[in-house]
Amino acid sequence: RRIDETDRENRRLVTTNWVLSELTGLLTRPIRIPKPDQVRLLDAIRGDPGVIIIVIDPIIEADAWQLWRPRLDKE
């Protein structure tokens, strides 16, 4: 099911910041998505109003994204 279809039905996708963190590992290996594409995907997910992200620890969350996002040369 696509996110836009879910939104049309007035439903939301619910996940946690921990799941998104694990997704970055999966995208790196074994899938091997280039880091700039990962950043775009995660930005799209995090910015989508149809996605509710439950943040386990907002301070650690903000710090982690700040460390991960700009390091495009790092897996």
Side-chain angles (χ1 to χ4, degrees), residues 11-72:
R11 295 184 183 165
R12 302 288 185 252
L13 178 66
V14 179
T15 190
T16 69
N17 60 321
W18 288 1
V19 170
L20 295 181
S21 176
E22 289 295 322
L23 177 60
T24 65
L26 178 64
L27 294 173
T28 300
R29 281 197 175 88
I31 298 177
R32 298 185 185 268
I33 302 285
K35 182 73 173 273
D37 294 338
Q38 290 182 35
V39 170
R40 280 190 292 277
L41 174 63
L42 272 291
D43 282 347
I45 292 170
R46 294 174 72 220
D48 190 317
V51 178
I52 298 168
I53 301 170
I54 298 169
V55 177
I56 305 304
D57 185 323
I59 294 171
I60 292 174
E61 166 81 356
D63 290 346
W65 287 117
Q66 288 289 36
L67 288 171
W68 177 80
R69 196 171 191 290
R71 291 170 172 79
L72 299 179

